[in-house]
Amino acid sequence: MASLNVGNLGEYLREQRRAAQLSLRQLADATGVSNPYLSQIERGLRKPSADVLQQVAKALRISAETLYVRAGILDEREREELETRAVILADPSINERQKNVLLQIYDSFRRENGFAPGPDADVGSADGVKADTGTGVDGDAGTRNGDDAGTGTTEDQDPHS
């Protein structure tokens, strides 16, 4: 864990609070953190815990991971990975199985490029779908039965022709 850079964090929090058009008192009410404590954080006098940063991020509708990076709690590369995972998991256009497969594929690419898999790398492995299986156009993994090029046609498959 890196050392906390509370001055830079405080300036950033003040900018974000002002952009959200919140007073310090309003932010304190929204987070459950005292007004004087938030003021001290903004002025770089206090080192907030990850829990306090999470409450502030939620109230300001910004990424907690971004605050962790600014505070020196989280490495930038870790933040990017967490945000990538969060975006995938939050996507309402794909179902849970598809999200799990996509995360497994993401982890396999990270491993291939020399990075450790993420904290949820085993998500969805219980359903037997592996990250390296073929994926159809509609996102259904493992349904192409060995057609690795996706060129199979129905013309030659009719047993009555």
Side-chain angles (χ1 to χ4, degrees):
M1 175 165 51
S3 63
L4 295 177
N5 185 358
V6 292
N8 185 30
L9 173 67
E11 292 169 18
Y12 180 75
L13 285 176
R14 182 178 293 121
E15 289 171 12
Q16 294 301 310
R17 177 178 57 79
R18 288 180 177 163
Q21 299 181 338
L22 290 174
S23 69
L24 203 51
R25 184 166 288 134
Q26 289 170 320
L27 183 59
D29 290 341
T31 60
V33 178
S34 76
N35 185 351
Y37 187 69
L38 287 174
S39 175
Q40 291 172 346
I41 293 170
E42 282 191 359
R43 291 182 287 142
L45 302 175
R46 292 285 183 161
K47 299 176 182 179
S49 68
D51 186 47
V52 168
L53 290 174
Q54 184 175 14
Q55 291 301 107
V56 170
K58 185 176 178 183
L60 293 174
R61 296 182 180 183
I62 60 176
S63 163
E65 289 80 11
T66 299
L67 293 184
Y68 297 159
V69 170
R70 292 237 176 215
I73 296 172
L74 185 65
D75 180 76
E76 178 71 20
R77 194 171 280 165
E78 292 175 54
R79 179 191 66 85
E80 290 170 356
E81 179 189 350
L82 289 171
E83 287 181 350
T84 300
R85 291 178 174 286
V87 168
I88 291 169
L89 292 171
D91 189 338
S93 67
I94 57 176
N95 66 40
E96 292 304 310
R97 186 184 57 75
Q98 292 166 334
K99 291 175 186 180
N100 289 334
V101 170
L102 190 53
L103 287 172
Q104 290 173 354
I105 292 169
Y106 175 67
D107 284 330
S108 73
F109 285 147
R110 286 181 51 80
R111 277 191 299 273
E112 183 178 312
N113 293 330
F115 295 99
D120 298 328
D122 292 330
V123 169
S125 60
D127 65 4
V129 178
K130 296 187 181 197
D132 58 354
T133 57
T135 307
V137 174
D138 63 351
D140 288 337
T143 59
R144 292 170 56 189
N145 299 325
D147 182 19
D148 57 358
T151 58
T153 62
T154 56
E155 298 171 357
D156 298 327
Q157 295 176 2
D158 185 359
H160 300 303
S161 53

